[in-house]
Amino acid sequence: MEEVMCKNIKDNYEDLTGEINNMLSLIEGEIDSTSWERGYAVSQSDGNGKTVSHNALSIKVNTTKGAYVLLLA
């Protein structure tokens, strides 16, 4: 998950790996399958005359105990 995040998040988020691990620990059961798809794109001004684009990524995880959707935006 960390690999698909933007450089800004990777560089500026304190303990990103630990936070990702905490989130994934909430998934119950054994993973049966995963899939992903690109979601929407959002563009916004960075305040310095440049536009920054963000693309959402939807990750679907099916386990023996349920289904989960993780949205990275």
Side-chain angles (χ1 to χ4, degrees):
M1 295 181 85
E2 196 169 334
E3 289 299 315
V4 299
M5 293 185 179
C6 73
K7 183 176 179 354
N8 183 45
I9 289 174
K10 291 179 196 178
D11 290 346
N12 295 302
Y13 199 94
E14 188 174 323
D15 193 23
L16 180 59
T17 302
E19 291 296 322
I20 291 171
N21 288 335
N22 287 339
M23 179 186 62
L24 294 177
S25 72
L26 300 173
I27 295 175
E28 296 181 348
E30 297 296 317
I31 294 175
D32 291 329
S33 65
T34 60
S35 63
W36 65 273
E37 61 186 45
R38 287 188 190 138
Y40 59 88
V42 176
S43 295
Q44 64 187 53
S45 171
D46 70 353
N48 296 314
K50 296 182 181 176
T51 300
V52 177
S53 295
H54 303 276
N55 295 303
L57 176 66
S58 175
I59 302 171
K60 297 175 184 175
V61 179
N62 294 306
T63 75
T64 55
K65 293 197 172 192
Y68 301 84
V69 177
L70 310 172
L71 180 62
L72 304 176

